[in-house]
Amino acid sequence: MKNQTPDMPDALTVITTHVNADFDAIASLLAAQKLYPEAKVIFPGSQEKNLRNFFINSMAYLFNMIELKDVDLDNIGRLVIVDTRQAQRIGPLAEVLNRPGVEIHAYDHHPPTDTDIVPHFGIHRRTGATVTILTKELRKRQIAISSDEATIMCLGIYEDTGSFTFSSTTEEDFLAAAFLLSCGANLNDVANLISREVNPEQIALLNDMIQAATRCSVNGVEVVVTSVSTEGYVPDFAFLVHQLVKMENLDAIFALARMGNKIYVVARSRIPEVDVGSILTPLGGGGHSYAASATVREQTLVQTEHRLIDILHRSIRPRRRAQDLMSTPPIAVEDHVTCTAAAELLTRYNINALLVVGAGDRPLKGYITRQVIEKAMYHKLGHAAVAEYMNTEFAVVGLEAGLEEIQEKIIGNKQRILPVMDDDRICGVVTRTDLLNILVRQNRNSRDQENDPADGIFQARTRNVLKFMEERISAELLARLRSIGEAAKEIGCSAYVVGGFVRDLFLYRPNEDMDIVIEGDGIAFARKYAKMSGARIHTHEKFGTAVIIFPDGFKIDVASARMEYYRFPAALPIVEMSSIKLDLSRRDFTINTLAIQLNPGRFGTLIDFFAAHKDLKAKALRVLHNLSFVEDPTRVFRAIRFEQRFDFTIGKLTSGLIENAVRMDFFKQLSGRRVFTEIRLILEEDNPSRSIIRLNDYHLLGVIHPGIEMNKDLEALFNATKKVLSWYDLLFLEESYLRWAVYFMILIRHCNRKTSQAICERFELAPRYRRLICDMRFDADRCLYWLERHTPMDRGQMYRQLAEFKTEPILYMMAVTRKKRVKQAISRYFTQLRFVRPQLDGKALLDMGLAPGPVFRKILDAILDAKLNGSLETLAEEMEFARSFAAEAAKAGASQKPEIPGDD
């Protein structure tokens, strides 16, 4: 781009960036200079010390720099701004912005704000670094980049993306860095410049920041503010703030430092409620929602801090209001209900207090606690109405009540349960346990012991993961999720995608089995959405579930938010309608309790009530409550399956609960069909042997049969089976097979026919599976015995030995045999012989004019043998062979024809 502008042919082009320039700003200046080769580069203010040393000592020759004092602002015809669009951040050059005839160009990656400069030409994209945008422009225009230039540009990307670890990093940043590396960027230089040694002066300043840190609750959000002073300039203040965030595990921090006659403000945030970029804009700063800075002049440190606190109160979105904290729907009983019935409800829902309402419009009358109910039952008063003993003096809060009001009313009134009201309507409740969980989490003290996540209902941890979803999910699937949320909104419901889909999203595993939970009538939603999408549905009214089937075969499972309770151990659950909280609380393990909201306005919000994301990171498998395996012992099998699939570890408490379930023998009450379903799922895993070993560790193979034990021989057979199935899968045959059946035949291989039949009956296997597991397995054992004694043999013999078997018994034989020549022979059958067929058939023989009869079968068998042994290939050869064979057969028949008397 030449230095001439339409109005000022000989005008000066100036490139600049923001004050307190970082490496990305410097790298962007250099890249812009490549786009505007005749331009002058001006630094508007100070740079960090390591930046100054870097350019003075090594790379300054690359820049066509000029001092601001040497430039006549009237001669500037084009101003190119990089890494910012904030006028207050470019120093004295801001005067040029409103001058007539001056063309403004801007390149930036920061989020847009209302105060952004509006350029005549500009490129803005949400990337991890501005230099990424400029690198793409250079590459597009095929502008050569030297190795030194590539190193500087690469340095900008590495610093602003945190070496590609910040959540703002995009695919484009990786591609830009890869291109710069191909241009000769020196990563050793990049690493040396990014790594920083902390000197004693910086350590002292960091210690002062820690000592001065104050925790403020702003609209229910905890923010740390720290202020320090030093007479001289201390470099790398932003780096020190970053270290403080990591050391103290802070969600949001604003650090102010008076250095000389300036106030430097650096802010970092990990939570969506605190957008530090917009908060520091009124102070003349800017940046991203997660990282920003500002430089304040002509104000004292105290004035700046007071102004910042005022901005915080106006800018931080409230997070902890009653409507956000409450449990819903509220569980209540009418005042005439007996204490015995109320006790059953408390146990069913695992809660410690019930609201008491009147009949009709259900006005709130009071509440009653578990302790009162238990005492009434002890005194033989179970028949009495709850109205006789309920607490009628209680406080309530509105939907907009903040955490401070909730805390005051629960603690001040010693009230176990706090109703949340909208006029006379009961919207939900906040319990004492809810409040305790919130206050404990504020303390942020990490605990190593494994807690029971169902010791009360947890307040959800939420964060927006839309960007992560856009990176991990196809555009088509994301559009489908959005349409689900929009449809739910239309009928006044909330929609969530839950369970394994969300879990595998964070485990970076493919999973398109989509489970949708509707807070409301799931079947009504399914009918509406199916109609909108041209899909069909299957409904299950009893469970409030439906399956939506799209024209392309894609399926979505829809369920009404529900909770389950069990009348006795190992029983099937009783299902009732509930909220998303209670729906998630019924699930098997914490890692399966993540949900993502789909409604517009909240689309992409991750909801985590049970610290599931923490367990995913820790690779820990935990149940939600201590009676989980009592209620449903099949969860033990799922725990072992998930542990091995994800390479997780079953938590200490959860492992103890499994051992308890085995000791109490809850599995004997399970139907064989339910046990078989779980065993089958284990055997369908890629490597089930590890899960079988774990079942053996917990003495659970006896659930299949007491005589089954995982010893070295059985483990070796499982490993051999895995190799055989992996080999077979790599053949890419279109024929499907029952993977689990091969492993199951291996598992019960040493069981005799009577025991095998008993196992099949116990598991209620379908007749076709019984024939496969019992009859065909024993036939396969006899066949294998014969093969091991007669191999090698001709191909026709091998074909006829194996042709009558299904795929599963043949793979079973291949896994069981220890003789290499037999494995090779069976593999040749699969790869060369199995699908060999004559091209001729009976009709073709008739068309050839051959006389029909038993000879046809002999001809076709002979053709098959010849093809198996490789002597026939084409149809013509088969036809010639058939004629010859028929002629020989006819000739042989004629020679054997007896003489008839009287022919002479």
Side-chain angles (χ1 to χ4, degrees):
M1 293 185 183
K2 300 230 183 230
N3 245 5
Q4 296 181 344
T5 64
D7 297 333
M8 305 171 65
D10 298 316
L12 181 66
T13 294
V14 169
I15 306 172
T16 191
T17 185
H18 54 81
V19 295
N20 299 321
D22 56 10
F23 280 133
D24 183 32
I26 302 299
S28 299
L29 287 173
L30 178 59
Q33 183 180 275
K34 300 285 290 180
L35 291 173
Y36 304 84
E38 302 300 322
K40 303 293 184 182
V41 174
I42 296 179
F43 289 97
S46 62
Q47 297 83 46
E48 293 283 15
K49 182 178 178 181
N50 62 331
L51 287 174
R52 291 201 307 273
N53 292 341
F54 168 59
F55 287 105
I56 291 171
N57 297 329
S58 57
M59 301 289 188
Y61 75 93
L62 295 172
F63 291 80
N64 187 13
M65 287 190 287
I66 188 172
E67 292 289 334
L68 180 61
K69 61 182 177 61
D70 298 329
V71 175
D72 184 352
L73 299 184
D74 293 333
N75 288 337
I76 296 178
R78 179 189 290 131
L79 181 62
V80 182
I81 306 169
V82 297
D83 203 35
T84 185
R85 284 171 293 160
Q86 296 292 307
Q88 68 269 29
R89 300 198 71 202
I90 62 173
L93 287 171
E95 296 178 23
V96 178
L97 294 173
N98 296 320
R99 294 191 178 188
V102 177
E103 191 174 283
I104 309 298
H105 292 197
Y107 301 84
D108 189 28
H109 74 128
H110 292 90
T113 68
D114 294 336
T115 58
D116 282 350
I117 297 166
V118 180
H120 298 92
F121 170 83
I123 300 177
H124 167 256
R125 282 197 299 277
R126 296 293 289 270
T127 57
T130 297
V131 71
T132 295
I133 297 169
L134 290 157
T135 300
K136 187 171 184 178
E137 290 299 304
L138 292 173
R139 189 175 187 182
K140 187 190 301 182
R141 301 179 193 186
Q142 298 183 339
I143 298 175
I145 302 173
S146 70
S147 59
D148 285 346
E149 291 168 339
T151 300
I152 295 176
M153 294 181 200
C154 217
L155 179 61
I157 297 174
Y158 269 78
E159 186 196 55
D160 241 28
T161 61
S163 298
F164 306 104
T165 62
F166 292 166
S167 60
S168 58
T169 307
T170 65
E171 179 184 3
E172 194 174 334
D173 297 303
F174 282 97
L175 293 174
F179 169 70
L180 294 171
L181 195 61
S182 72
C183 294
N186 189 324
L187 293 185
N188 288 329
D189 288 345
V190 171
N192 291 335
L193 285 160
I194 286 179
S195 62
R196 297 175 170 95
E197 293 182 2
V198 183
N199 60 41
E201 185 182 26
Q202 291 171 323
I203 291 174
L205 185 61
L206 181 58
N207 183 63
D208 290 343
M209 290 163 62
I210 294 171
Q211 298 300 320
T214 302
R215 295 176 184 266
C216 310
S217 179
V218 181
N219 294 330
V221 179
E222 187 180 88
V223 175
V224 172
V225 178
T226 183
S227 301
V228 293
S229 294
T230 177
E231 292 305 317
Y233 180 79
V234 177
D236 291 329
F237 181 54
F239 171 73
L240 298 179
V241 175
H242 183 70
Q243 294 300 107
L244 180 56
V245 169
K246 291 198 296 183
M247 290 166 57
E248 299 294 323
N249 192 26
L250 303 177
D251 279 341
I253 183 173
F254 291 84
L256 298 85
R258 183 188 63 80
M259 299 182 188
N261 60 354
K262 296 179 183 176
I263 310 294
Y264 296 89
V265 185
V266 172
R268 297 290 185 267
S269 172
R270 295 175 173 177
I271 53 179
E273 290 80 8
V274 183
D275 182 345
V276 295
S278 63
I279 289 171
L280 292 192
T281 297
L283 294 179
H288 301 275
S289 60
Y290 56 88
S293 63
T295 302
V296 181
R297 297 174 177 82
E298 299 178 355
Q299 284 193 14
T300 66
L301 189 60
V302 173
Q303 287 175 317
T304 305
E305 184 174 347
H306 285 175
R307 188 178 173 197
L308 174 63
I309 296 295
D310 179 62
I311 296 170
L312 291 178
H313 280 279
R314 287 187 281 107
S315 303
I316 293 179
R317 299 189 297 274
R319 178 164 58 176
R320 295 183 174 94
R321 297 172 298 172
Q323 64 180 347
D324 303 316
L325 302 175
M326 67 184 184
S327 302
T328 184
I331 299 170
V333 292
E334 293 189 354
D335 50 8
H336 61 80
V337 170
T338 65
C339 290
T340 299
E344 183 183 335
L345 282 176
L346 290 169
T347 301
R348 180 188 302 176
Y349 293 107
N350 191 28
I351 55 177
N352 293 312
L354 284 169
L355 297 183
V356 181
V357 297
D361 294 335
R362 295 173 66 84
L364 181 62
K365 298 282 190 176
Y367 70 92
I368 192 164
T369 65
R370 182 184 292 275
Q371 289 88 337
V372 172
I373 292 288
E374 287 175 349
K375 287 182 180 180
M377 301 291 286
Y378 177 78
H379 291 292
K380 307 289 191 292
L381 296 171
H383 62 281
V386 291
E388 301 293 333
Y389 304 107
M390 68 183 180
N391 191 328
T392 57
E393 295 180 355
F394 56 89
V396 301
V397 292
L399 290 168
E400 297 297 322
L403 181 60
E404 294 78 7
E405 182 183 350
I406 293 170
Q407 181 175 339
E408 178 184 344
K409 289 187 174 179
I410 288 180
I411 296 175
N413 296 319
K414 297 181 180 179
Q415 193 167 318
R416 182 174 289 276
I417 187 169
L418 182 65
V420 180
M421 308 289 292
D422 183 12
D423 294 329
D424 294 329
R425 183 172 65 92
I426 309 169
C427 300
V429 295
V430 179
T431 67
R432 195 162 64 187
T433 305
D434 292 338
L435 177 63
L436 179 62
N437 285 326
I438 296 163
L439 297 177
V440 167
R441 200 160 56 248
Q442 279 186 342
N443 197 29
R444 297 289 180 184
N445 289 329
S446 60
R447 291 170 290 182
D448 295 331
Q449 70 269 26
E450 182 179 0
N451 299 310
D452 180 358
D455 285 342
I457 297 174
F458 276 60
Q459 173 60 24
R461 298 165 174 85
T462 62
R463 63 189 177 97
N464 192 285
V465 293
L466 177 56
K467 184 173 181 181
F468 181 68
M469 291 170 66
E470 290 171 342
E471 294 170 354
R472 296 280 300 125
I473 301 175
S474 68
E476 180 184 2
L477 201 56
L478 199 64
R480 188 161 279 169
L481 289 172
R482 287 187 187 276
S483 66
I484 289 170
E486 290 162 359
K489 181 184 178 183
E490 286 183 20
I491 61 172
C493 296
S494 293
Y496 306 84
V497 60
V498 302
F501 179 89
V502 186
R503 175 200 66 212
D504 289 349
L505 188 67
F506 289 97
L507 289 176
Y508 292 86
R509 297 172 65 93
N511 187 345
E512 292 195 355
D513 294 335
M514 194 182 295
D515 293 319
I516 302 297
V517 169
I518 301 295
E519 275 188 325
D521 190 335
I523 292 179
F525 164 81
R527 289 194 175 109
K528 177 179 177 61
Y529 188 69
K531 186 176 181 181
M532 288 172 51
S533 308
R536 54 193 176 89
I537 65 168
H538 294 309
T539 61
H540 304 85
E541 299 284 346
K542 179 181 177 181
F543 295 101
T545 62
V547 179
I548 302 174
I549 306 165
F550 293 85
D552 61 0
F554 186 80
K555 296 180 181 179
I556 294 177
D557 291 317
V558 177
S560 306
R562 65 190 193 270
M563 77 164 294
E564 299 169 349
Y565 68 94
Y566 298 75
R567 293 194 182 277
F568 52 84
L572 288 171
I574 307 298
V575 178
E576 293 185 352
M577 298 291 285
S578 78
S579 68
I580 188 65
K581 278 186 182 179
L582 294 177
D583 181 273
L584 296 174
S585 70
R586 73 181 174 82
R587 296 176 184 268
D588 46 13
F589 307 107
T590 58
I591 62 170
N592 291 330
T593 62
L594 289 170
I596 296 176
Q597 191 159 0
L598 303 180
N599 288 50
R602 296 277 293 171
F603 185 83
T605 299
L606 177 70
I607 299 171
D608 183 3
F609 287 104
F610 302 102
H613 199 255
K614 178 182 177 183
D615 284 345
L616 285 176
K617 286 185 175 180
K619 305 187 79 172
L621 198 72
R622 312 184 202 276
V623 289
L624 271 72
H625 60 87
N626 291 6
L627 295 178
S628 183
F629 298 133
V630 176
E631 293 180 342
D632 185 1
T634 61
R635 288 172 176 167
V636 170
F637 298 102
R638 292 202 290 279
I640 290 170
R641 176 159 53 92
F642 289 150
E643 179 192 44
Q644 299 307 315
R645 179 196 293 179
F646 302 131
D647 195 23
F648 277 25
T649 301
I650 294 176
K652 185 177 179 181
L653 171 62
T654 302
S655 181
L657 294 173
I658 292 175
E659 293 168 357
N660 172 266
V662 175
R663 281 196 306 272
M664 301 295 289
D665 198 15
F666 293 129
F667 303 92
K668 68 182 179 183
Q669 300 183 54
L670 289 170
S671 71
R673 184 173 296 177
R674 291 184 70 194
V675 174
F676 172 69
T677 297
E678 297 299 332
I679 296 295
R680 175 175 174 169
L681 289 171
I682 285 174
L683 296 179
E684 286 176 344
E685 293 287 312
D686 288 338
N687 185 16
S689 63
R690 295 188 304 174
S691 295
I692 298 298
I693 292 170
R694 288 293 274 160
L695 287 174
N696 190 67
D697 292 342
Y698 285 113
H699 308 290
L700 279 169
L701 289 179
V703 175
I704 303 173
H705 189 271
I708 297 177
E709 184 179 355
M710 190 66 166
N711 51 34
K712 289 185 178 178
D713 289 341
L714 186 55
E715 185 176 348
L717 279 176
F718 262 84
N719 291 333
T721 305
K722 183 179 186 301
K723 291 179 181 178
V724 167
L725 298 188
S726 297
W727 167 83
Y728 183 76
D729 291 340
L730 289 173
L731 296 179
F732 296 107
L733 302 176
E734 293 183 359
E735 180 187 28
S736 62
Y737 71 101
L738 300 174
R739 183 185 188 86
W740 67 267
V742 183
Y743 279 114
F744 194 72
M745 287 190 283
I746 294 292
L747 188 61
I748 65 170
R749 179 167 187 258
H750 296 296
C751 297
N752 59 32
R753 185 182 292 271
K754 183 177 180 181
T755 301
S756 299
Q757 289 173 341
I759 290 172
C760 290
E761 289 176 8
R762 151 86 170 129
F763 285 165
E764 304 175 45
L765 296 190
R768 62 192 179 100
Y769 294 154
R770 294 191 190 196
R771 288 193 296 273
L772 179 62
I773 300 301
C774 294
D775 300 339
M776 291 187 191
R777 175 168 66 87
F778 287 104
D779 290 344
D781 282 331
R782 284 192 293 272
C783 178
L784 181 61
Y785 182 83
W786 189 90
L787 289 175
E788 288 180 339
R789 280 153 183 76
H790 294 86
T791 303
M793 65 188 73
D794 68 48
R795 294 183 171 202
Q797 284 181 296
M798 174 61 70
Y799 180 90
R800 285 183 170 79
Q801 286 295 323
L802 298 178
E804 298 303 317
F805 285 102
K806 291 180 177 291
T807 301
E808 294 84 2
I810 300 175
L811 293 172
Y812 164 80
M813 286 187 272
M814 196 173 178
V816 166
T817 185
R818 295 182 179 180
K819 297 185 180 298
K820 186 176 181 180
R821 66 176 185 274
V822 176
K823 281 187 189 290
Q824 291 173 336
I826 296 174
S827 71
R828 277 196 300 273
Y829 169 77
F830 269 122
T831 56
Q832 300 174 25
L833 308 180
R834 191 178 185 198
F835 300 108
V836 172
R837 300 284 188 277
Q839 296 181 62
L840 292 177
D841 56 15
K843 183 178 182 301
L845 295 178
L846 284 173
D847 293 342
M848 289 170 59
L850 300 181
V855 72
F856 273 25
R857 181 73 269 160
K858 294 178 181 179
I859 292 172
L860 294 175
D861 285 346
I863 291 173
L864 177 60
D865 283 337
K867 286 181 73 70
L868 289 169
N869 292 313
S871 57
L872 292 180
E873 293 183 2
T874 66
L875 177 62
E877 290 174 343
E878 287 188 24
M879 295 175 68
E880 180 62 30
F881 182 91
R883 290 191 182 95
S884 176
F885 190 97
E888 290 293 328
K891 186 176 180 182
S895 66
Q896 296 173 10
K897 185 175 180 180
E899 294 182 3
I900 300 175
D903 279 356
D904 294 339

